[in-house]
Amino acid sequence: MTTTDRTISREIQLAARPQGAPKDSDFALIERELGQPGSGEVLVRNLYLTVDPYMRGRMNDVKSYTPPFALNETMTGGAVGEVVASGVDTLKPGDLVLHDQGWRTHAVLKATSARKVDARPGVSPSAYLGILGMPGQTAYAGLLEVAAMKPGDVVFVSGAAGAVGSAVGQIARLKGAGRVIGSAGSADKVAHLTGKLGFDAAFNYKDGPVMAQLREAAPDGIDVYFDNVGGDHLEAALAAFKVFGRAALCGAISQYNATSAPSAPRNLALAIGKQLTLKGFIVGTYNSVFPQFVQEVGGWLASGELHYDETVVEGIENMPRAFMGMLSGENTGKMVVKL
Amino acid sequence: MTTTDRTISREIQLAARPQGAPKDSDFALIERELGQPGSGEVLVRNLYLTVDPYMRGRMNDVKSYTPPFALNETMTGGAVGEVVASGVDTLKPGDLVLHDQGWRTHAVLKATSARKVDARPGVSPSAYLGILGMPGQTAYAGLLEVAAMKPGDVVFVSGAAGAVGSAVGQIARLKGAGRVIGSAGSADKVAHLTGKLGFDAAFNYKDGPVMAQLREAAPDGIDVYFDNVGGDHLEAALAAFKVFGRAALCGAISQYNATSAPSAPRNLALAIGKQLTLKGFIVGTYNSVFPQFVQEVGGWLASGELHYDETVVEGIENMPRAFMGMLSGENTGKMVVKL
C-alpha cells in the first residue's frame, strides 16, 4: 500500500446517533484515499485500535468533557501504529507511535500529535492502549490520587474484569490494600479475579442484589470504592462505606446506553453522617503522575507481579462489534482491535 | 423553684417513634423532681433550648453518627442556661453555660459537661445555640473547609433562610464570593434573603422546578453548593456545577420525614465529566476551626455586617410544635425555645 503515492485507509464513521445500545446500522465502513505526508507530518499504519467506554458518550450530541463525534465523519480514539513515511526528522519509518487517529487503518497526522513509544520485549504494542496507557493511568491516578488509597484500606472496584478495573484491583493489592473486592458480570470473570488477578473476593453482580453480595464480601465495610459502573453498585458502596470512605467516580457504564434517567443511588444522604467523599475525575487532569505510573506499573509488568489481559478482535470491519461487545461486557481485560 | 432542696423540671420525652412527619402524640411532657447538685455537679435553669433538623434522625431507631433517642426518656440537645446551684469552684450561681441537656427546664449535670460562655452586650444568650454555636460553626466549616470556597466563587445554598443556610450565604458574601444564591420556601423568606441578608439572588423552590430556577439565578453555573436539603436541590446543583465544582453535604431535610427511599439525584454521573467533589461532613470533625470561627463571626456580628435572625417559641410545652414547625420551614433563621 505504501509503495505508491496513494494509500487506501479503511475507516469507521458514525452513521447515526445510537438510541440506547448501539447497533450495526449506527456505523459505516468507508474507504478513503490518503496522500503522502507533507512537511511536519507522518503517515502511520495502525497496528492496534482501542475501544473504550467513554466513546459511547461521544456518540450522543451532548456537550461533555470531550466533544461529540460528528455524523458521517471518521471517529477518533487511541491507536498504536508504525510510521511508514515521514516528513520530519524526529520520526522515521518503522518507529512505533501512539496517537489519537483511531477507528481507521491508516492516518496522516502532525508529527507533534504522535508520541514515540518503545517496543518492549515481551510486551505487545497494544499495551500502550491499556495497562501502560490511558486505562492504566486512569486506574493508577484514580486509586492513589483521587481516592487516596492507603495501605490497609478495604478496596472495592466494579467492572473489575475490565481494562481499568483489573488494573485498579491489582494496583491496590500491590500497594498494600487490606482487602480487595471486585464485581464482574460472569462466573468466568469472577474466577479470573480471585485466580490470576489475586483479588481477595469477587462476585457476579448478575447473581443477586449488589448490596447483599458486597456486604457478604466485605462484612466490616469498605474504605475505598472505585466506580466504573454507577447505579446500584454505587448505591451498594454508599451502604458499605465506613466513616470517611472515599469514592473515585470514573465511569457509569450501567447508564451509558440508558435512555431514561437512572434512579439509583437513592441513599446518597448516607454521605453526610459517614462523612464520605465522592470525587469524579478524568485521567487528563492527572497527567503529572505519568512518569511515576509508567515506572511503577512497567516494573510490575516486567516482574510478572501484575497480570495483563486483552481481548483481541481482528479487522477494522469488526470494530463496531468490538465496541458493542465491550459495552455489554464480552471482554476480559482491555478490548483492542488488531489490524 | 430553687429556694428549696427540690426542683421540678418539666421535660419532653419521646413517646413514640415518628412515622414520617412527627405529630403531637409522639411526644410527652413530664415532670421530674431534681435534687441538689453533688460535688462536681451544677444545677442549671435553662433559658433557651434548641431544635435542630438532625434531631429528627435521632428519633428513628437507626444507628447514625449520633445514637437514637430512647423511648420514654427525656431527649437531649443544646441548651443555654444559668447556674442556680453549684458543687464546684469553677462555676457559680448566675454563670451562663452551654450544655447538651436540652428538652427540659432544669438539669443537674457534671460541671465538666458545661461550657461557660460570656454574656455579650446586645447579643442574646440564645446566639450560642445558633450563629455563635453549632449551626454557625457548621456553616463556617462547611463552606470554607469542606467546600473550600475561594473568593470569586459562585455559591448556592439551599435552606438558605434557616439557621445554617443564612450563615452560609452571609459568610460567603463576607469572604468575597462572586455571587451568592439561596433557595427557601416562601416569598417572605426570599425577600429576606435578597434584602437584609444581602444574597445576590434567591428563589422559592415551591414556585417551580429547582433546576430551572437555579439555572436562571446562575446562568453561568455554580462553583460551590452547600446542601441542607438533598433531593431535587442536589440534582439541580449537579446540573449547574461548573468543572471542579464542590458540594458540602450537610443535611437532607427533604428526606428526614421520608418513609420510602428518595429517587433524586438521578444525574450523579455528571460528577465524572465535571470532576466534581461531593463531601459529607459533620461539624464535630471541624472543631479545630472553632477559635477562628468565633473570632471572625463574632466580629461580623459586632460590626453589624452579619445579620442574625431567630424565631422564638415560648414555653417548654410548645417545644414539640417548635420542632415540627422547624422541620416544615416555619422558622426564619434559628428556631429556639425560650423558657
Side-chain angles (χ1 to χ4, degrees):
Chain A
M1 277 193 188
T2 57
T3 52
T4 75
D5 276 2
R6 303 193 309 189
T7 303
I8 301 298
S9 177
R10 303 177 73 207
E11 313 192 336
I12 305 291
Q13 300 195 334
L14 187 65
R17 301 205 179 278
Q19 303 295 315
K23 54 187 187 303
D24 288 344
S25 60
D26 295 329
F27 304 93
L29 176 64
I30 61 111
E31 295 198 350
R32 187 150 64 120
E33 201 175 283
L34 302 178
Q36 285 295 306
S39 172
E41 293 182 334
V42 287
L43 171 64
V44 176
R45 179 173 70 86
N46 285 332
L47 302 173
Y48 289 94
L49 306 174
T50 185
V51 288
D52 293 299
Y54 82 91
M55 293 170 169
R56 178 62 187 86
R58 298 190 66 186
M59 293 175 186
N60 298 331
D61 191 17
V62 172
K63 187 184 156 195
S64 178
Y65 58 95
T66 49
F69 291 129
L71 283 180
N72 304 313
E73 286 189 16
T74 303
M75 292 180 286
T76 57
V80 176
E82 186 182 74
V83 174
V84 288
S86 176
V88 290
D89 295 337
T90 49
L91 290 171
K92 59 180 193 304
D95 279 352
L96 202 60
V97 290
L98 180 63
H99 62 93
D100 77 341
Q101 297 293 300
W103 293 92
R104 69 197 76 195
T105 60
H106 296 76
V108 171
L109 62 150
K110 284 188 183 166
T112 51
S113 299
R115 191 168 86 200
K116 190 173 184 302
V117 291
D118 297 328
R120 294 185 169 229
V123 177
S124 163
S126 58
Y128 288 107
L129 301 176
I131 188 67
L132 293 181
M134 187 268 284
Q137 187 183 337
T138 299
Y140 189 89
L143 181 68
L144 303 178
E145 301 285 320
V146 180
M149 189 209 97
K150 303 180 305 290
D153 278 350
V154 177
V155 175
F156 172 49
V157 55
S158 55
V164 173
S166 59
V168 168
Q170 293 185 88
I171 294 170
R173 168 172 56 76
L174 290 160
K175 282 290 198 179
R179 184 171 171 80
V180 179
I181 299 146
S183 72
S186 77
D188 284 352
K189 288 180 182 178
V190 166
H192 185 63
L193 292 177
T194 54
K196 274 196 180 153
L197 301 192
F199 282 57
D200 296 291
F203 60 86
N204 180 350
Y205 67 85
K206 295 173 181 170
D207 281 351
V210 177
M211 200 174 289
Q213 294 197 78
L214 178 57
R215 194 180 300 126
E216 191 173 332
D220 298 326
I222 64 174
D223 299 288
V224 165
Y225 173 47
F226 192 108
D227 188 19
N228 290 307
V229 169
D232 56 354
H233 274 83
L234 181 52
E235 187 163 295
L238 287 165
F241 266 129
K242 303 182 201 174
V243 172
F244 297 118
R246 289 143 277 140
L249 307 180
C250 179
I253 200 168
S254 70
Q255 297 166 23
Y256 289 171
N257 287 334
T259 51
S260 63
S263 62
R266 294 159 295 188
N267 58 350
L268 186 56
L270 288 176
I272 302 167
K274 294 190 188 185
Q275 307 199 60
L276 307 180
T277 300
L278 283 68
K279 198 164 178 177
F281 76 105
I282 57 178
V283 62
T285 299
Y286 297 86
N287 279 336
S288 61
V289 307
F290 192 78
Q292 184 189 340
F293 151 68
V294 167
Q295 184 186 350
E296 196 158 33
V297 174
W300 288 327
L301 264 185
S303 68
E305 291 170 282
L306 191 145
H307 180 83
Y308 179 52
D309 293 303
E310 279 183 341
T311 299
V312 181
V313 170
E314 301 215 6
I316 184 76
E317 65 279 7
N318 294 316
M319 190 163 183
R321 287 286 175 89
F323 176 70
M324 291 182 262
M326 178 274 303
L327 284 183
S328 62
E330 291 172 12
N331 54 310
T332 294
K334 183 73 186 88
M335 180 78 106
V336 294
V337 176
K338 183 178 184 181
L339 301 179
Chain B
M1 280 194 189
T2 56
T3 52
T4 75
D5 275 0
R6 303 192 311 185
T7 303
I8 301 298
S9 177
R10 303 177 71 208
E11 312 192 339
I12 305 290
Q13 299 195 335
L14 188 66
R17 300 206 179 277
Q19 302 296 312
K23 54 188 187 300
D24 288 344
S25 59
D26 295 329
F27 304 94
L29 176 63
I30 62 109
E31 295 197 350
R32 187 151 62 119
E33 200 175 284
L34 301 180
Q36 285 296 305
S39 172
E41 293 181 333
V42 287
L43 170 65
V44 176
R45 180 174 69 86
N46 286 332
L47 303 173
Y48 288 94
L49 306 174
T50 185
V51 288
D52 293 299
Y54 81 92
M55 293 169 168
R56 177 63 186 85
R58 298 189 66 185
M59 292 174 188
N60 298 331
D61 191 16
V62 173
K63 187 184 156 197
S64 179
Y65 58 94
T66 47
F69 291 128
L71 284 178
N72 304 314
E73 286 189 16
T74 303
M75 292 180 285
T76 57
V80 176
E82 187 181 75
V83 174
V84 288
S86 176
V88 291
D89 295 336
T90 49
L91 290 172
K92 59 180 193 305
D95 279 351
L96 202 61
V97 291
L98 180 64
H99 63 93
D100 77 340
Q101 297 293 301
W103 292 93
R104 69 196 77 194
T105 60
H106 296 75
V108 171
L109 61 150
K110 284 187 182 165
T112 52
S113 299
R115 191 167 84 201
K116 188 172 185 304
V117 291
D118 297 327
R120 293 184 170 230
V123 177
S124 163
S126 58
Y128 287 107
L129 301 176
I131 189 66
L132 294 180
M134 188 268 283
Q137 186 183 339
T138 300
Y140 189 89
L143 181 68
L144 304 178
E145 301 286 318
V146 180
M149 191 209 96
K150 303 181 304 292
D153 279 350
V154 177
V155 174
F156 172 49
V157 54
S158 56
V164 174
S166 59
V168 169
Q170 292 185 89
I171 294 170
R173 167 171 57 75
L174 290 160
K175 282 289 199 180
R179 185 169 170 79
V180 180
I181 300 146
S183 72
S186 77
D188 283 352
K189 288 180 181 177
V190 166
H192 184 63
L193 292 177
T194 54
K196 273 195 181 154
L197 300 192
F199 281 57
D200 297 291
F203 60 86
N204 180 349
Y205 68 85
K206 295 174 181 168
D207 280 351
V210 177
M211 199 175 289
Q213 293 197 79
L214 178 57
R215 194 180 300 126
E216 191 173 332
D220 299 325
I222 64 174
D223 299 288
V224 165
Y225 173 49
F226 193 108
D227 189 19
N228 289 308
V229 169
D232 56 354
H233 273 84
L234 181 51
E235 187 163 296
L238 288 165
F241 265 129
K242 303 182 200 175
V243 171
F244 297 119
R246 289 143 279 141
L249 306 181
C250 178
I253 201 168
S254 70
Q255 298 166 23
Y256 289 171
N257 286 334
T259 51
S260 62
S263 62
R266 294 160 294 188
N267 58 350
L268 187 56
L270 288 175
I272 303 167
K274 294 189 187 185
Q275 306 199 60
L276 307 179
T277 300
L278 282 69
K279 198 164 178 178
F281 76 105
I282 57 178
V283 62
T285 299
Y286 297 87
N287 278 335
S288 62
V289 307
F290 192 77
Q292 184 189 340
F293 150 68
V294 167
Q295 183 185 351
E296 196 158 35
V297 173
W300 289 326
L301 265 185
S303 68
E305 291 169 281
L306 192 146
H307 180 84
Y308 178 53
D309 293 303
E310 279 183 341
T311 300
V312 181
V313 169
E314 300 214 7
I316 185 75
E317 66 280 8
N318 293 316
M319 190 163 183
R321 286 288 175 88
F323 176 69
M324 292 182 259
M326 179 274 302
L327 284 181
S328 61
E330 290 171 12
N331 55 309
T332 294
K334 182 73 186 86
M335 180 79 107
V336 294
V337 175
K338 183 177 184 179
L339 300 178

